[in-house]
Amino acid sequence: KITNEGMDFEESSRFSERRLSMERIVDLDEHFQCLICHGCVIQPLECQNCQRLFCSNCIQLMRGNSYLARCPNCRVVWSQVKPHRFVLQTLNSKTIECKSCQFATVYAQIEKYMEHMDKCPERPRICPNGCNFQSKLDEMEEHLEICPNEKVPCTYSECGKLVPRAE
């Protein structure tokens, strides 16, 4: 269950790398959209002045080392409060759907959704070697075996350098 406690920065930064698209959540009001990343709020914090919600990690990144950072919405010096329990209950009850397959879970189990997205066999992936190939997980594994940009040991000398397969 998502609350405002119990998540360390490492887990939190993992979520910021993959913002949670508003379209993935069934019947979600725009009040739950973070104005910084434009995704659904993750580990929500609320501005004490304007009551706008933001992702806790987005606020950490925005504030950096500045204690005088301002709210992106009302521009008042940032002061946060925990969102009201009804806000959290509403968010926790919403359904998150994978757009690539039939998987769905509730927001309260967002960690389960994030794990699914890492492993979803139907979710398109882009080749990590930068060759612009895009495919499902099983096809990507096959592609990496022949990808021209995959780094392999040099075959022309015993230098041990890794070079793109195409060279």
Side-chain angles (χ1 to χ4, degrees):
K1 185 173 184 177
I2 300 300
T3 62
N4 286 314
E5 290 88 25
M7 180 176 278
D8 63 24
F9 185 76
E10 189 173 300
E11 287 177 299
S12 183
S13 65
R14 186 184 101 208
F15 291 139
S16 71
E17 293 169 8
R18 291 182 247 151
R19 82 180 170 86
L20 183 56
S21 172
M22 294 289 285
E23 294 83 40
R24 298 203 184 278
I25 302 180
V26 177
D27 195 29
L28 188 67
D29 186 272
E30 68 182 35
H31 175 73
F32 295 101
Q33 183 176 29
C34 175
L35 290 180
I36 299 171
C37 70
H38 302 289
C40 175
V41 292
I42 297 175
Q43 290 298 117
L45 294 175
E46 184 176 300
C47 173
Q48 187 171 18
N49 184 61
C50 67
Q51 290 89 42
R52 185 68 194 205
L53 298 174
F54 299 92
C55 301
S56 61
N57 196 54
C58 289
I59 290 296
Q60 286 177 351
L61 294 172
M62 176 198 74
R63 289 188 70 191
N65 293 327
S66 171
Y67 292 100
L68 299 176
R70 298 186 177 277
C71 171
N73 187 51
C74 68
R75 303 290 183 214
V76 170
V77 173
W78 178 256
S79 179
Q80 69 193 35
V81 294
K82 292 181 183 179
H84 192 276
R85 67 183 175 97
F86 292 124
V87 171
L88 294 174
Q89 287 173 344
T90 300
L91 191 56
N92 281 333
S93 69
K94 295 296 181 179
T95 301
I96 308 173
E97 297 177 334
C98 176
K99 297 297 182 191
S100 301
C101 70
Q102 301 299 316
F103 179 84
T105 189
V106 290
Y107 182 94
Q109 297 178 348
I110 195 168
E111 292 90 355
K112 190 175 184 181
Y113 173 79
M114 294 296 188
E115 287 173 15
H116 166 77
M117 292 307 292
D118 285 339
K119 300 173 185 173
C120 178
E122 299 300 315
R123 184 175 65 87
R125 287 158 171 80
I126 297 172
C127 179
N129 297 323
C131 73
N132 297 324
F133 180 80
Q134 187 172 348
S135 72
K136 295 178 183 178
L137 182 61
D138 61 341
E139 295 167 354
M140 183 58 69
E141 290 168 357
E142 292 173 15
H143 165 75
L144 290 175
E145 293 177 12
I146 60 167
C147 176
N149 291 358
E150 177 80 12
K151 301 256 182 187
V152 296
C154 178
T155 58
Y156 296 109
S157 70
E158 295 183 22
C159 66
K161 285 187 175 182
L162 293 177
V163 295
R165 182 177 278 121
E167 290 183 15

